[in-house]
Amino acid sequence: MTISVGILMDPIEGIKVAKDTSLAMMLAAQKRGWQLQYFEREGLFMRDGVPSASTSTVEVFDDESHWFNREPATDRPLSELDCILMRLDPPFNMDYVFATYFLQKAADSGVLVLNNPAALRDINEKMYTAWFPDCCPPTLITSRHDLLREFHSEHGDVIVKPLDGMGGASIFRLKENDPNISVVLETMTDFGRTQIMAQRYIPEITEGDKRILVVDGEPVSHALARMPAAGETRGNLAAGGTGVAVPLTERDREIVASIGPELKRRDVLFAGIDVIGDWVTEINVTSPTCARELDAQCGLDIGSMFMDAIETRLNNR
């Protein structure tokens, strides 16, 4: 029996072939003879409680000049799919939440949806670190300026960031006696109305912000250390960082041993744990990346690892 895999993602026309993890997943599924059904958020609809979408059969290629063929779209119930991969990028806004409700309804009808829609709603990629405080640097989440100033005075050098961003957007470093602290806090918290995260600055960022990919609760053998560009604090590839594959350390494996089983329990089969030095800074569950870079540098096939996990889940149903 041919397995039908739906993939909900941002427009396929705009992906970067050498870097796109969703493409790696589609290539791995296609290699097994599985049928790919592509759709975008705007194609979702629900009538009389039946979640549906305008989907297109796609064929994908590992070719930077021509990476997909797409057939005309057809409206179909999501229940016709065996599995759906949720690969929409943040921001995690209400449109994103609404998309998870469509997918939750599909999951309730028996479709395997990964990552689990309920987990996507519950696991904020910044705040979820609070469930694993032993793995994290000193961290404060608040909208209160007095608490943020106390935290800054205590640690002297801190990073502040929004709870709903991605790719290093709106991340600030506040050093001791920073003259911009007032305007940064006012802007970030919208004058005390919006919660933000503050973390003690980790100087090991110069050695890279490591992305550890976790498949079905287990770590991939190597992490991608994202090295900040000259003059930058952020290692994010979207902020100009350079990715270098590095073997996992003993501490990295301890971190995954703590977090991985809980991700697996929540049906988060593909996640990215961000580690600087010995400390977790974020746990990414929406659309983690870096698989293509690790595949290229280490001879891995992370997409196939993910398909193995999916096939096991489907066979156990």
Side-chain angles (χ1 to χ4, degrees):
M1 181 182 70
T2 299
I3 293 174
S4 180
V5 179
I7 182 158
L8 172 57
M9 59 184 285
D10 296 299
I12 193 170
E13 294 89 347
I15 69 174
K16 296 180 179 178
V17 171
K19 294 178 176 292
D20 196 85
T21 295
S22 299
L23 178 62
M25 293 174 175
M26 288 190 281
L27 287 166
Q30 181 176 273
K31 188 176 180 180
R32 296 174 185 230
W34 298 357
Q35 184 191 65
L36 298 174
Q37 291 292 327
Y38 161 88
F39 57 109
E40 300 174 17
R41 179 165 44 199
E42 293 78 7
L44 289 165
F45 66 97
M46 183 147 40
R47 180 163 183 174
D48 300 328
V50 178
S52 306
S54 177
T55 77
S56 300
T57 301
V58 295
E59 183 180 12
V60 290
F61 313 95
D62 194 3
D63 182 342
E64 296 206 20
S65 64
H66 178 69
W67 56 91
F68 73 98
N69 288 332
R70 179 171 58 193
E71 295 183 5
T74 302
D75 291 345
R76 71 182 73 237
L78 294 180
S79 60
E80 293 184 2
L81 302 170
D82 297 299
C83 175
I84 298 174
L85 309 183
M86 171 53 150
R87 292 289 302 173
L88 286 176
D89 286 340
F92 189 88
N93 53 21
M94 286 309 300
D95 284 335
Y96 195 104
V97 172
F98 294 148
T100 69
Y101 291 142
F102 284 97
L103 298 184
Q104 184 69 63
K105 198 70 168 65
D108 292 345
S109 71
V111 181
L112 177 64
V113 181
L114 301 169
N115 288 322
N116 184 302
L120 292 177
R121 290 192 297 273
D122 289 346
I123 299 177
N124 175 273
E125 301 187 338
K126 278 51 167 202
M127 289 194 72
Y128 191 56
T129 59
W131 273 250
F132 308 95
D134 293 343
C135 297
C136 301
T139 301
L140 171 68
I141 300 171
T142 185
S143 61
R144 287 175 50 183
H145 288 194
D146 60 328
L147 294 180
L148 289 162
R149 286 180 176 277
E150 287 176 13
F151 188 82
H152 180 248
S153 295
E154 178 182 354
H155 295 289
D157 196 350
V158 303
I159 297 291
V160 293
K161 58 179 117 176
L163 296 177
D164 59 353
M166 66 166 289
S170 300
I171 293 179
F172 291 89
R173 179 182 177 184
L174 295 174
K175 298 182 181 180
E176 192 170 5
N177 300 318
D178 195 307
N180 296 306
I181 183 170
S182 292
V183 68
V184 168
L185 296 184
E186 289 167 3
T187 301
M188 293 288 291
T189 67
D190 189 22
F191 294 90
R193 289 186 285 265
T194 300
Q195 303 276 350
I196 66 170
M197 170 180 277
Q199 289 179 323
R200 185 186 67 194
Y201 174 73
I202 307 169
E204 289 85 355
I205 183 61
T206 57
E207 301 168 13
D209 178 355
K210 290 186 291 187
R211 165 62 55 83
I212 302 172
L213 291 179
V214 181
V215 180
D216 203 12
E218 297 296 328
V220 173
S221 61
H222 288 67
L224 194 72
R226 297 162 294 177
M227 306 295 187
E232 262 285 0
T233 297
R234 303 167 298 172
N236 307 74
L237 300 182
T242 302
V244 179
V246 295
L248 297 191
T249 66
E250 182 177 347
R251 172 61 173 167
D252 294 337
R253 294 186 181 278
E254 289 175 357
I255 287 169
V256 178
S258 177
I259 300 173
E262 181 63 15
L263 293 173
K264 182 173 182 175
R265 185 186 72 80
R266 288 172 171 263
D267 287 333
V268 176
L269 263 66
F270 195 82
I273 300 175
D274 291 346
V275 174
I276 301 174
D278 289 334
W279 305 109
V280 173
T281 59
E282 297 184 17
I283 302 171
N284 291 271
V285 301
T286 49
S287 58
T289 60
C290 298
R292 294 283 274 171
E293 293 90 339
L294 288 170
D295 285 352
Q297 294 185 40
C298 303
L300 301 173
D301 188 351
I302 296 169
S304 287
M305 296 178 193
F306 187 39
M307 293 309 118
D308 286 342
I310 290 173
E311 194 161 16
T312 297
R313 292 295 175 103
L314 290 173
N315 289 337
N316 287 340
R317 289 192 158 198

